Amino acid sequence: MTANAAPINAGRARRIRKDLALRRVQVLLEVSRRCALATRLDDILVTLLEMTSRELDCDRGTLFLNDPETGELYSRVAQGDLIREIRILNNSGIAGSVFQSGEGLIIDDPYSDPRFNASVDERTGYRTRNILCVPVRTMAGDIIGVMQSLNKNVGGFSDDDLQLLAEMTSQTAIALQSVRYVEQIDRIRIKEMAFLEMVSEISAELDLSALLGRVVVETTRMLGAERATIFLHDPATNTLFSRVAVGGDFNEIRFPAHMGIAGAVFTSATTMNIPYAYADLRFNPAFDRQTGFFTRSILCVPILNKHGKVIGVTQVLNKKGGVFTDEDEQRLKAFTAQIAIALENSKLFDDVRRMQGYNDSMLQSMSNGVITLDPAGKVVTCNAAGGRIWGGEPLALIGRDFADLVDEAGKWVVERLATVKERGVSDIFPDAALSINGMAKSVNLTLMPLLASEGSKDLGSMLMFEDISNEKRMKSTMSRYMDPVIAAQMLDGDTHDLLGGVSAEATVMFTDVRGFTTITEEYGAQGTVSFLNEYFSLMVECISKEGGMLDKFIGDAIMACFGLPMAHDDDPDRAARTAISMISEMWRWNTDRRQHGLKTVDMGVGLNTDMVVSGNIGSPKRMDYTVIGDGVNLAARLESACKAYSARILASESTVSKLRGTYRMRDIDLVVVKGKTQPVRVFELLDYHDAKSFPHLPDVVGHFNDAIVDYRAARWDSAIGRFENCLKLNPGDALSKTYIGRCETLRAAPPVGDWDGVWVMKDK
């Protein structure tokens, strides 16, 4: 080397360093300028990633910003990848380590670093060779994120690269923070404007069902939940009810106002945010088992009216992607506070409308005629019975002056109406002769004043009349000795079908009192008759309410029919509902008898649906309308079989297959009853039970049905185990005990030939 070579090299080195410094200044100015011009966070991210990758000559880069609410580092843009946003905990991985320590890192061999997550490379097929990672600091020194560059194209990252990347991110920190604040403010503003608009629209809704549906949908969307439910309080029954449940199958559910999470929030008027539902003892998992839904997290807030009274609760389930936050809780509180008035007004409107509909329905369904008059004496309303009694359509009477509707002999009613209005008290006129609209009737007449709630304003008057003409008197008399439906048909002249035999499908019911012999021996003749009269009155009322036909009393037994002489679309359901109400009514009666020191009773019910023959059977001097046939005999056999199966209601498969409603029942046997050769599949109806009388009923039914499958497949040990599970849940399930005994007998002496699970009954 010549003597002047060293100064030349030193000068070239200074120029290179000067050029590099100038280049660095230009890069930093370009970063500052381009980021300052950006108006969106995404634009700044793209700019920074593009420039850092270019200046550091690396393959790709990622900018992670910290989300202080979730404790996560997130990136919206990852160069070379299609992922729009990724999130990691701000204390995990290399990025999390840099964020926590505030010190930049150069990692030449990521796979030897325990902080490196190699699963990302395995999942994407990308190979990370080296990493450069620096914290993103504001001018105040606060760390708001992490900048990470991957895979230097030539060699590895240097300290100069580390310094350059730190300076570039520092230049963008102010712009990043400013744009983030602007975006947050815009999001909040947009969210609040949408919130206010939504509340305004919801508050204008008066229909309760529509309002609940809208509120539930908006609540679910607003909080990012899977399901939401509004429970409103019904003071009349002290229950919480809901008409809408997003994602659920319930149209309306009701439960006592103190039960479950919703009940606890309602009674305490405090919010509950439960991140793990099954860890809370107040949570009832029964609904999850019924619907197949899995509840993870719950947020439940009380709904307060303007007086601070709790009128219901809002319950939100399963926050998508995590648990409900304090912000979710505050937003839900604000939302329910805004809609509370609308909910209360809508509920009041719904109550008024329902009451009006109930009153209108009740008025139209009354067999007695009702006419209301305004203060001037003009007809305002007339129900269907009123039009029918007075020989015309109700609308033909509305708007006419009542004084013009009555003849001269009926003017006394107009005078009496004036007296009733003047005195403000009702008046009754039994067996009064009255002619309205030219139609003369003998009626029981009641005149009533109509007053406002405060009792001072005159709203008019009301006339109620019961037709007691000869036809009605005869019907009333005949109904004491035969079924009211038959009596009505005979009085209407429709006796053609009654005089001959008719073949039709019907559901036949037989009932019988258990222990009746003991009652007759203890009570004697008079006491037994009194007992039966009271018992039959309760049971016949259950039959009549469902439109069934009482066929006959056979000692202490009852035979009834559903579907004759007039068929309904749901006669099997009517029979099932009647049987259930009979048992429930009997239990209530037993409670009253027990309190008075009287004997209690039990009963069995058999139901079968089949083709039967109905008609008048007897002699020309004495006939009896009844039904006969094989289907009648089977219903009687099923009632008797209740004793053998420790059951109260047994129904044949032909009845169960035609049921339209949903009932709690179990398949109990394939049985050949006395006098039959073919097996009949028999089911036990259990809807009269509650949790006290039959603990864990759904679970017991599930185990029992599985046990029956094993029993019919001759898997005796498995069947015994399942029946024993039933007894663990309900030690009082006598039928499971019966089947354990059967299985043990059959296991000891297996049946000869192919086992078909059929049981042959020897007794009637």
Side-chain angles (χ1 to χ4, degrees):
M1 180 181 294
T2 60
N4 61 352
I8 293 173
N9 289 338
R12 182 181 296 119
R14 285 194 298 272
R15 286 195 302 272
I16 291 173
R17 285 195 299 272
K18 184 177 180 180
D19 290 343
L20 289 174
L22 180 60
R23 174 60 184 165
R24 177 167 294 188
V25 170
Q26 290 173 342
V27 168
L28 296 178
L29 288 174
E30 182 183 359
V31 169
S32 299
R33 179 182 59 81
R34 291 180 62 179
C35 289
L37 293 175
T39 58
R40 298 185 309 121
L41 180 60
D42 290 345
D43 295 337
I44 296 178
L45 296 177
V46 171
T47 298
L48 186 59
L49 295 176
E50 175 191 332
M51 293 191 64
T52 54
S53 297
R54 185 189 70 197
E55 296 302 323
L56 297 177
D57 189 27
C58 63
D59 186 33
R60 65 174 59 180
T62 306
L63 175 64
F64 292 98
L65 295 176
N66 183 50
D67 186 344
E69 293 183 357
T70 62
E72 295 174 318
L73 294 173
Y74 69 92
S75 173
R76 290 192 185 172
V77 178
Q79 191 175 10
D81 202 338
L82 297 176
I83 298 176
R84 292 295 299 166
E85 179 171 311
I86 57 175
R87 284 180 175 262
I88 59 173
L89 294 176
N90 62 14
N91 60 0
S92 67
I94 292 174
S97 176
V98 170
F99 178 79
Q100 296 294 332
S101 67
E103 299 293 334
L105 290 176
I106 298 175
I107 301 176
D108 295 322
D109 185 9
Y111 283 86
S112 65
D113 194 304
R115 295 167 296 186
F116 178 66
N117 185 4
S119 64
V120 177
D121 281 9
E122 294 173 0
R123 189 168 59 251
T124 61
Y126 184 79
R127 175 76 179 180
T128 303
R129 300 190 309 275
N130 45 46
I131 300 174
L132 175 61
C133 190
V134 299
V136 180
R137 298 180 186 272
T138 64
M139 296 299 292
D142 297 326
I143 300 177
I144 63 172
V146 174
M147 181 66 201
Q148 184 174 269
S149 297
L150 306 179
N151 291 0
K152 182 85 170 180
N153 289 327
V154 178
F157 291 108
S158 65
D159 291 338
D160 285 342
D161 293 332
L162 181 68
Q163 183 178 355
L164 176 59
L165 185 59
E167 291 174 351
M168 291 178 71
T169 56
S170 178
Q171 290 295 319
T172 62
I174 296 176
L176 279 170
Q177 203 165 23
S178 298
V179 174
R180 282 181 68 188
Y181 287 150
V182 171
E183 285 197 356
Q184 287 176 359
I185 293 172
D186 284 342
R187 282 200 304 270
I188 293 173
R189 181 182 59 82
I190 293 172
K191 189 181 294 184
E192 293 304 322
M193 291 297 294
F195 177 77
L196 293 175
E197 182 179 353
M198 175 185 64
V199 170
S200 177
E201 291 179 4
I202 288 175
S203 299
E205 180 63 65
L206 282 178
D207 183 82
L208 181 60
S209 297
L211 176 63
L212 289 175
R214 179 70 187 276
V215 170
V216 163
V217 169
E218 295 297 343
T219 302
T220 307
R221 181 192 59 77
M222 180 176 66
L223 297 184
E226 292 182 7
R227 178 176 293 189
T229 309
I230 301 291
F231 293 103
L232 294 179
H233 183 238
D234 184 352
T237 59
N238 194 28
T239 57
L240 292 175
F241 71 92
S242 173
R243 292 189 184 172
V244 180
V246 170
D249 298 329
F250 297 103
N251 290 326
E252 178 167 314
I253 56 176
R254 283 180 179 266
F255 54 88
H258 64 278
M259 287 185 61
I261 302 296
V265 170
F266 175 78
T267 53
S268 66
T270 57
T271 298
M272 291 186 183
N273 190 346
I274 302 172
Y276 305 104
Y278 279 81
D280 195 296
L281 296 178
R282 294 164 299 189
F283 176 67
N284 182 6
F287 286 115
D288 279 12
R289 290 196 296 267
Q290 291 175 7
T291 62
F293 184 79
F294 182 75
T295 303
R296 299 189 305 273
S297 55
I298 302 174
L299 176 60
C300 192
V301 303
I303 303 174
L304 306 176
N305 65 9
K306 59 184 178 182
H307 303 296
K309 180 182 178 182
V310 183
I311 62 172
V313 296
T314 303
Q315 182 172 275
V316 192
L317 306 180
N318 293 2
K319 174 79 172 183
K320 295 176 181 176
V323 297
F324 294 105
T325 64
D326 291 339
E327 181 185 356
D328 293 330
E329 183 177 328
Q330 296 305 318
R331 286 191 65 80
L332 186 57
K333 284 182 178 179
F335 183 53
T336 54
Q338 292 292 327
I339 64 170
I341 296 176
L343 282 170
E344 190 169 38
N345 291 340
S346 183
K347 184 176 180 298
L348 289 173
F349 178 75
D350 185 72
D351 289 342
V352 171
R353 188 171 59 178
R354 189 170 64 249
M355 183 58 66
Q356 181 183 4
Y358 175 79
N359 290 337
D360 290 343
S361 177
M362 181 176 64
L363 191 66
Q364 294 303 322
S365 63
M366 289 175 62
S367 60
N368 290 346
V370 177
I371 290 178
T372 61
L373 310 177
D374 64 13
K378 289 189 176 181
V379 178
V380 177
T381 62
C382 176
N383 69 347
R388 184 172 60 253
I389 290 173
W390 302 114
E393 290 294 327
L395 291 176
L397 303 179
I398 295 175
R400 297 178 62 180
D401 195 316
F402 181 73
D404 296 336
L405 291 174
V406 297
D407 57 14
E408 287 298 324
K411 294 298 183 183
W412 65 272
V413 179
V414 178
E415 297 173 359
R416 289 288 188 173
L417 279 171
T419 304
V420 165
K421 289 175 59 179
E422 181 181 349
R423 295 179 179 177
V425 294
S426 301
D427 208 348
I428 300 175
F429 304 94
D431 198 8
L434 184 62
S435 176
I436 296 180
N437 200 30
M439 179 69 67
K441 292 286 184 178
S442 178
V443 297
N444 290 330
L445 177 64
T446 302
L447 306 180
M448 291 170 281
L450 296 178
L451 301 175
S453 57
E454 61 272 14
S456 58
K457 186 178 179 182
D458 177 18
L459 299 180
S461 52
M462 181 171 73
L463 300 88
M464 182 181 295
F465 26 82
E466 177 189 10
D467 183 3
I468 54 170
S469 60
N470 291 336
E471 179 181 339
K472 190 167 185 179
R473 287 176 178 169
M474 184 179 296
K475 182 188 296 185
S476 177
T477 302
M478 293 177 64
S479 297
R480 295 175 181 267
Y481 299 96
M482 64 177 64
D483 188 87
V485 177
I486 309 301
Q489 283 191 312
M490 294 187 71
L491 288 171
D492 290 337
D494 186 15
T495 59
H496 180 268
D497 290 340
L498 299 179
L499 297 177
V502 177
S503 180
E505 183 179 88
T507 301
V508 181
M509 168 190 285
F510 272 85
T511 74
D512 192 34
V513 177
R514 300 289 181 257
F516 182 69
T517 303
T518 305
I519 292 175
T520 58
E521 291 174 352
E522 182 174 337
Y523 285 5
Q526 294 297 327
T528 301
V529 171
S530 176
F531 164 84
L532 284 178
N533 286 340
E534 189 174 358
Y535 168 79
F536 284 149
S537 297
L538 295 172
M539 299 301 107
V540 171
E541 179 64 21
C542 295
I543 297 170
S544 299
K545 281 195 297 188
E546 291 294 343
M549 183 194 76
L550 173 64
D551 187 276
K552 62 173 65 71
F553 299 117
I554 311 170
D556 61 316
I558 297 174
M559 175 181 171
C561 188
F562 295 81
L564 289 172
M566 292 185 298
H568 305 88
D569 293 335
D570 60 340
D571 283 308
D573 289 83
R574 290 170 180 257
R577 291 195 298 266
T578 298
I580 293 165
S581 66
M582 280 178 162
I583 303 298
S584 300
E585 194 65 32
M586 179 193 67
W587 281 1
R588 284 191 289 270
W589 187 46
N590 279 341
T591 300
D592 184 63
R593 290 178 64 83
R594 195 177 295 112
Q595 292 173 353
H596 291 83
L598 300 175
K599 273 189 170 297
T600 59
V601 294
D602 207 348
M603 65 185 292
V605 183
L607 301 175
N608 181 47
T609 304
D610 203 349
M611 297 298 294
V612 297
V613 176
S614 65
N616 276 302
I617 298 175
S619 71
K621 292 184 177 181
R622 179 73 167 90
M623 303 189 78
D624 184 20
Y625 181 87
T626 188
V627 293
I628 56 175
D630 195 48
V632 178
N633 298 332
L634 179 55
R637 297 290 186 268
L638 291 178
E639 181 278 318
S640 297
C642 287
K643 303 172 187 175
Y645 292 98
S646 303
R648 291 186 176 86
I649 304 175
L650 292 183
S652 66
E653 184 177 14
S654 63
T655 297
V656 171
S657 65
K658 292 179 173 62
L659 292 175
R660 297 185 174 188
T662 301
Y663 302 86
R664 295 182 294 180
M665 67 177 71
R666 55 180 171 178
D667 180 358
I668 66 167
D669 212 353
L670 284 168
V671 60
V672 177
V673 298
K674 184 73 173 178
K676 301 279 286 187
T677 58
Q678 295 300 317
V680 177
R681 195 173 181 182
V682 181
F683 294 79
E684 181 186 11
L685 270 66
L686 300 164
D687 287 77
Y688 55 89
H689 279 296
D690 56 19
K692 183 177 180 181
S693 63
F694 200 124
H696 308 290
L697 193 152
D699 296 331
V700 171
V701 170
H703 286 303
F704 189 94
N705 289 337
D706 292 339
I708 285 294
V709 173
D710 287 337
Y711 168 80
R712 291 173 182 166
R715 296 189 289 266
W716 314 120
D717 291 336
S718 177
I720 290 172
R722 295 183 187 276
F723 285 125
E724 287 175 345
N725 288 337
C726 295
L727 290 175
K728 290 178 183 178
L729 294 170
N730 180 13
D733 186 22
L735 183 54
S736 292
K737 297 177 183 177
T738 299
Y739 264 102
I740 290 174
R742 272 199 201 179
C743 291
E744 290 174 346
T745 300
L746 292 169
R747 183 176 59 184
V752 179
D754 293 333
W755 167 252
D756 55 5
V758 175
W759 191 261
V760 179
M761 295 192 68
K762 305 299 183 183
D763 301 321
K764 292 185 179 182

